[in-house]
Amino acid sequence: MKLSLSKNYTNKIVKAVAEFDLIQDGDHILVGLSGGKDSSFLLYSLAFLRKYLGVKFSLSVITIDLGFNGVDFEPLRDFCRELAVPFYLERTRIAEYILQEEAANPCAKCAHFRKGAIAGFMREKGIRKLAFGHHYDDAVETFLMSILYSGQLVTFQPKQYLSSNDIFIIRPLVYLREKDIVEAGKLLGYEPISSPCPYDGKTKREEIKQYLREFTGQKQVFYNLAAAMREGAPFEVWSKKPSRQKLASKMKELWK
């Protein structure tokens, strides 16, 4: 596959890599590939940057089979083969547990078990860096959910260290809006896999997403929420924004 990605995307990804120190020389990055648009675009982007960034890093992919019937993973395997990235499929019984238990907050429990399965795989392979495809909208939605449903000013970090498993989670797409990824996905020649989960589209996150669509008719409202992730509290929010000059210098150093 001939890889191509416009500066509109690479600049935002490299900005995140530079600002949050997401990738270092010699890293082996495991990409969590669900088959959806976000994780598939993340994989494509990292495969592209692997060729052009000055820092040298390797890639592998893991897909967690949750145990739902009728899911064909061959398109994911083929996609990885075209990108020359090793593909690993870990089979689990997470779906059986979630559906039988009729667990409260099933999405959180599912995410917890998925991370556990991935962490076990990483220990086995000696990999310490995991990349997820969360984007800017995800970050703001998580921030708003934490305010409305838990009364806390928190969101996920672009780079997060999990001391219990001694691994880092990185999110290189945090400066890309969801609509940008949707548009970029049309260029990949890859059709995202539909989620077989019966809870898909029926979560609190979907409610928040719809709320934001209605509430943020003015573009500035979204970016005011994003700004609050940095300035709203002294902890569990994004680090203070660096100067443009310092960030530009760090971005320049990343390219060959």
Side-chain angles (χ1 to χ4, degrees):
M1 178 187 293
K2 183 178 180 180
L3 303 182
S4 176
L5 201 59
S6 75
K7 288 185 177 180
N8 181 47
Y9 301 110
T10 58
N11 283 352
K12 291 178 180 179
I13 297 171
V14 172
K15 177 183 177 182
V17 171
E19 181 175 344
F20 300 109
D21 295 317
L22 302 185
I23 301 175
Q24 284 80 37
D25 260 323
D27 275 348
H28 183 169
I29 300 174
L30 182 68
V31 178
L33 180 64
S34 66
K37 63 178 178 20
D38 302 332
S39 60
S40 57
F41 178 70
L42 169 65
L43 174 59
Y44 183 93
S45 301
L46 290 177
F48 175 84
L49 291 175
R50 180 178 57 175
K51 296 180 61 177
Y52 297 106
L53 287 187
V55 291
K56 302 297 181 183
F57 63 94
S58 58
L59 291 172
S60 294
V61 163
I62 186 168
T63 294
I64 301 298
D65 177 3
L66 300 177
F68 290 107
N69 294 325
V71 182
D72 182 11
F73 294 102
E74 284 308 304
L76 277 67
R77 194 182 302 276
D78 292 341
F79 185 52
C80 292
R81 187 180 298 116
E82 291 182 14
L83 295 174
V85 178
F87 172 81
Y88 298 94
L89 180 65
E90 286 287 295
R91 300 194 182 277
T92 73
R93 298 173 63 184
I94 293 174
E96 179 182 333
Y97 172 77
I98 295 297
L99 296 177
Q100 283 186 355
E101 294 292 325
E102 296 185 355
N105 200 1
C107 297
K109 289 184 178 294
C110 182
H112 174 75
F113 290 131
R114 285 201 315 272
K115 285 182 181 178
I118 294 174
F121 175 87
M122 294 176 73
R123 283 194 299 271
E124 179 184 327
K125 298 293 184 181
I127 303 172
R128 298 188 60 238
K129 191 163 282 188
L130 171 66
F132 283 145
H134 299 125
H135 47 67
Y136 214 174
D137 292 67
D138 288 327
V140 171
E141 289 161 12
T142 301
F143 185 59
L144 190 55
M145 284 175 66
S146 74
I147 295 171
L148 296 180
Y149 298 122
S150 68
Q152 300 178 58
L153 291 171
V154 297
T155 188
F156 57 71
Q157 298 291 317
K159 184 178 183 180
Q160 181 182 7
Y161 176 64
L162 301 183
S163 58
S164 58
N165 294 298
D166 191 29
I167 62 175
F168 288 92
I169 293 176
I170 62 171
R171 298 174 169 96
L173 304 186
V174 289
Y175 279 133
L176 282 170
R177 297 294 306 273
E178 184 172 20
K179 58 184 176 59
D180 297 328
I181 295 175
V182 170
E183 188 62 31
K186 299 174 184 177
L187 309 175
L188 303 190
Y190 165 79
E191 186 67 30
I193 292 178
S194 299
S195 172
C197 178
Y199 295 105
D200 187 48
K202 303 174 184 178
T203 63
K204 288 295 183 184
R205 180 173 293 278
E206 287 300 320
E207 291 179 13
I208 288 292
K209 191 184 292 287
Q210 183 59 37
Y211 176 73
L212 275 172
R213 287 195 193 104
E214 297 171 359
F215 185 66
T216 57
Q218 294 183 354
K219 183 178 180 180
Q220 192 57 41
V221 173
F222 177 90
Y223 291 103
N224 285 344
L225 286 168
M229 293 193 306
R230 292 181 183 272
E231 308 297 342
F235 56 90
E236 292 300 327
V237 292
W238 291 9
S239 56
K240 189 171 180 62
K241 200 169 187 176
S243 70
R244 296 178 67 176
Q245 182 178 5
K246 182 178 180 180
L247 181 55
S249 175
K250 292 183 69 174
M251 290 174 66
K252 187 175 180 180
E253 290 174 1
L254 284 168
W255 294 107
K256 291 182 181 178

